[in-house]
Amino acid sequence: MPKTPHRTALITGASAGLGAEYAHQLAAPGTNLILVARRMDRLEELARELREKHDVTVETLQADLSTSDGIQRVERRIAETATLDLLVNNAGFSGGPGSFAERDAADHLNMVQVHVVATVRLTRAALPGMIARGRGAVINLASIAAFSPFSGPMYSGTKAFLVMFSENLHGELKDKGIFVQALCPGMTHTEFHEVADIDEAIVPKFFWMTAEEVVRISLRRLGRGAICVPGWKNKVVAFLMRCPLTLAGVRAVGRSHIVRKKVDR
Ligand SMILES: NC(=O)c1ccc[n+]([C@@H]2O[C@H](COP(=O)([O-])OP(=O)(O)OC[C@H]3O[C@@H](n4cnc5c(N)ncnc54)[C@H](OP(=O)(O)O)[C@@H]3O)[C@@H](O)[C@H]2O)c1
């Protein structure tokens, strides 16, 4: 990517966590922003702070990306924004407890809608303008769960889609001056686990990263390969997850009495 800041970035899921952090780090060097989420009060507060601190233009847009109407509102805004040169498809959530068969089919389809359908539609909406201008980038928030057989069929499945989608799209677009990144963080301190009612203590502190570190690496690596796994610990974990021996080992540990007691608590 050129060293100059992006002109305008649209960030989904900007009301918290990694999305809000992208907004901070992009606004600092002067990128104008369009912030998207359902919680308008949060977006407005963040927009006010960024305008005051960095003298940038910040628009807010309320949209529920689990609905077709919500996605369409964002598509329209993208089409109207002639200076858009960065799209961050960040909105997402974890399905929370319960097996695939126990949870409602509607929950699964909501996740497909937010992680997959919204990303495909918003990316498709943004690309014609970026291609015509010969510059642009798309960051898709995947996860190291994309490589994991332990993170739930829907969460891992939708994130794995984002990795392959991004990698293939990157190949199609790199000669046109457009870069695509699938960012694959591991455990990151945001509101993500609280929203899903997941006990953060299950994963040792050693493995956690801050949203600030993750976003800094993502922006630094943009344009240098389609898949970005931030931090060496996550790289090791992502590698090990694909090893058949690890799979057998983790399953054996997962069946052990001590671990079951800790997870069920
Ligand atoms: N934190 C981690 O450990 C971790 C690890 C790997 C990957 N990720 C991925 O990183 C991304 C950001 O997660 P985070 O950790 O920053 O979580 P977070 O703090 O819970 O933030 C999630 C964001 O997504 C938005 N969102 C959720 N559902 C939405 C919907 N239906 N329509 C529009 N916006 C919606 C939320 O906004 P509203 O509620 O205001 O709509 C919020 O701004 C997700 O895609 C997640 O899968 C996170």
Side-chain angles (χ1 to χ4, degrees):
M1 288 297 294
K3 289 270 182 279
T4 50
H6 309 274
R7 282 191 291 174
T8 308
L10 185 144
I11 305 166
T12 69
S15 61
L18 289 161
E21 184 59 36
Y22 273 109
H24 280 284
Q25 291 194 26
L26 287 164
T31 306
N32 296 320
L33 299 172
I34 305 169
L35 308 178
V36 180
R38 292 166 299 182
R39 288 171 292 178
M40 268 314 257
D41 52 339
R42 294 268 199 120
L43 290 185
E44 290 296 356
E45 199 184 316
L46 177 60
R48 218 174 4 256
E49 183 190 341
L50 296 175
R51 283 181 206 119
E52 275 170 22
K53 243 175 150 172
H54 304 296
D55 194 24
V56 288
T57 302
V58 187
E59 295 172 38
T60 56
L61 177 61
Q62 185 170 38
D64 181 348
L65 298 178
S66 68
T67 69
S68 195
D69 282 356
I71 297 173
Q72 198 176 31
R73 299 185 67 192
V74 188
E75 285 174 323
R76 270 198 228 112
R77 184 62 65 92
I78 287 173
E80 290 160 9
T81 309
T83 53
L84 185 77
D85 52 10
L86 178 61
L87 169 65
V88 185
N89 288 305
N90 163 78
F93 58 96
S94 162
S99 69
F100 177 83
E102 285 161 357
R103 292 180 68 86
D104 286 345
D107 290 349
H108 300 323
L109 296 181
N110 266 352
M111 187 174 283
V112 172
Q113 190 80 5
V114 176
H115 291 178
V116 176
V117 178
T119 299
V120 170
R121 283 179 57 179
L122 300 186
T123 303
R124 178 62 184 78
L127 284 179
M130 290 183 182
I131 291 169
R133 293 186 289 278
R135 58 174 278 152
V138 179
I139 298 174
N140 295 321
L141 255 292
S143 167
I144 54 167
F147 314 110
S148 160
F150 315 111
S151 306
M154 291 311 299
Y155 191 74
S156 279
T158 54
K159 295 300 185 181
F161 170 86
L162 292 176
V163 170
M164 294 318 295
F165 172 68
S166 306
E167 200 169 22
N168 282 270
L169 199 56
H170 179 76
E172 276 188 16
L173 293 169
K174 66 179 189 312
D175 294 338
K176 296 183 165 61
I178 301 178
F179 300 105
V180 183
Q181 178 188 86
L183 177 66
C184 303
M187 303 308 265
T188 310
H189 291 294
T190 64
E191 296 173 14
F192 182 80
H193 306 92
E194 189 189 320
V195 171
D197 205 14
I198 297 169
D199 181 4
E200 292 191 0
I202 290 174
V203 177
K205 282 199 180 101
F206 172 78
F207 287 104
W208 290 81
M209 288 178 79
T210 63
E212 196 272 333
E213 291 172 295
V214 169
V215 170
R216 197 163 296 289
I217 292 169
S218 161
L219 292 176
R220 199 175 61 224
R221 300 290 311 165
L222 192 54
R224 299 195 214 160
I227 301 177
C228 175
V229 180
W232 68 267
K233 291 171 216 164
N234 287 329
K235 285 189 177 66
V236 171
V237 171
F239 173 76
L240 289 175
M241 275 171 177
R242 303 318 301 162
C243 278
L245 278 176
T246 314
L247 185 62
V250 173
R251 287 210 167 118
V253 172
R255 281 194 295 270
S256 87
H257 185 59
I258 303 165
V259 171
R260 284 257 56 84
K261 257 172 76 182
K262 205 170 174 188
V263 170
D264 293 343
R265 221 188 293 148

